Amino acid sequence: MVKVRLLQLGALAAVLGLWALIAAIGVVSSTALPGPGSVASALWQLAGSGTFWQAVGDTLRGAVTGLVVAVAVGIPVGLVTGVYAAAEESSRLLMEILRSFPVIALLPVFLLVLGSTPGMKATVVFIACVFPVLLQAQYGARSVPPAVHETVRSYRIPRLLRFRRVVLPGAVPSIMTGLRLAATTSVLVSIGVEVLTTLPGIGHMIMESQQAGASARAYAYIFSAGAIGYSITLLAQFAEHRLLRWRPPVHTGGE
C-alpha cells in the first residue's frame, strides 16, 4: 500500500513539474495556462473569501438536492423492477428512451419550462443521477440467486419480510456502487449547469473569472471542483466500506 501511494504521489509530482516547466518556458500563453504557483496563490486567496465558500455552497446545494431526490426515486423503482419481471419488461422501453437523452442537451427545455432557478439545476442533476442509481438497484435485486428465492417461497415467508431480509441486503453492494457514481456525477452536472446559465456557483465563478482575464483564479475554481469531487468519492467509499463490513473478503484464485 505504501509503495502504491508513493507511485501515485510521484506521478502527481511529475505532472506538476511538467506543468511548471511548460508555464516557465512559455510554450503556452500564461493567460491560457498560468503556472501552478499562480494557481496555488489564487486558491489560497479564494479560500479566505466568503465569495468562494458561497459559490461552493450554491453548487453543493443543487447537487445534494438533485441527488437526494434521485436516490428516493431510483432505489425503490430499481428494486421493484428488479424483483418483478413484469414491471421491468413494461418499463424497459420507457427507461431506454429517457436515459438516451443527453441531460445537458435538454437544458434549453428546462430553462424554458422552469427558468434559470435553483430548482431547475436540481432537476437536471436529478435526471443525470437517477438512472445510475436505478439501474444499479435493479441489478442488485436481480443478483439474488434463484435458489434463495425458491427457499424463501417454500417457507412461505411474507413478501415484505422477504424484501427486507433477502432482496435488500443482496442489493446493497450494487446500490452503493450506484450512489458512488451518482454522487460524483451530481457535482459535475451542477457545475456544468452553472457554466451554461447565470445560476450562482463554482461554474459561474469559473466563467466570470475567464471573462475578467483572471485565468489563475479560474483554474483555482476548477481545481476546487476537482477536489470536491474527489472528496465525495472518498466519503462514498468510506460509507460503502462501513455499510458492507458484513461481506466476506474477496479472495483471488491463487489463494
Side-chain angles (χ1 to χ4, degrees), residues 9 24 31 35 40 46 50 66 74 122 127 134 137 193 200 205-206 222 232 254:
L9 292 174
T31 303
L46 288 176
I127 294 176
L134 189 155
V193 172
M205 297 306 298
I206 292 172
I222 291 172
I232 290 175

Side-chain angles (χ1 to χ4, degrees), residues 79 83 137 140-153 155 157-173 175 246:
L79 292 176
V83 172
R142 290 177 183 170
S143 65
V144 178
V148 175
H149 284 296
E150 292 298 329
T151 303
V152 169
R153 290 194 191 98
Y155 283 100
I157 297 176
R159 288 186 177 182
L160 183 59
L161 183 61
R162 184 193 315 170
F163 179 82
R164 289 171 51 198
R165 298 296 186 183
V166 178
V167 176
L168 189 57
V172 165
I175 291 174
W246 52 269

Side-chain angles (χ1 to χ4, degrees), residues 38-167:
S38 301
V39 175
S41 177
L43 182 59
W44 178 261
Q45 293 177 0
L46 288 176
S49 67
T51 303
F52 172 78
W53 295 109
Q54 179 66 38
V56 171
D58 290 332
T59 297
L60 291 179
R61 193 175 300 111
V64 171
T65 302
L67 178 63
V68 169
V69 179
V71 170
V73 173
I75 291 179
V77 174
L79 292 176
V80 169
T81 54
V83 172
Y84 300 103
E88 190 275 332
E89 291 174 359
S90 62
S91 62
R92 183 184 304 167
L93 178 61
L94 179 62
M95 294 294 180
E96 291 296 332
I97 293 175
L98 291 177
R99 64 184 290 223
S100 65
F101 285 104
V103 65
I104 296 299
L106 296 174
L107 188 58
V109 177
F110 291 115
L111 283 171
L112 181 63
V113 176
L114 300 175
S116 185
T117 62
M120 185 275 295
K121 178 166 62 175
T123 301
V124 177
V125 172
F126 161 76
I127 294 176
C129 295
V130 68
F131 290 108
V133 176
L134 189 155
L135 294 175
Q136 286 295 324
Q138 188 180 80
Y139 173 78
R142 290 177 183 170
S143 65
V144 178
V148 175
H149 284 296
E150 292 298 329
T151 303
V152 169
R153 290 194 191 98
S154 65
Y155 283 100
R156 296 182 179 179
I157 297 176
R159 288 186 177 182
L160 183 59
L161 183 61
R162 184 193 315 170
F163 179 82
R164 289 171 51 198
R165 298 296 186 183
V166 178
V167 176

Side-chain angles (χ1 to χ4, degrees), residues 59 62-64 66-67 125 128-129 181-191 232:
T59 297
V64 171
L67 178 63
V125 172
C129 295
L181 295 173
T184 305
T185 300
S186 66
V187 177
L188 297 177
V189 172
S190 181
I191 294 174
I232 290 175

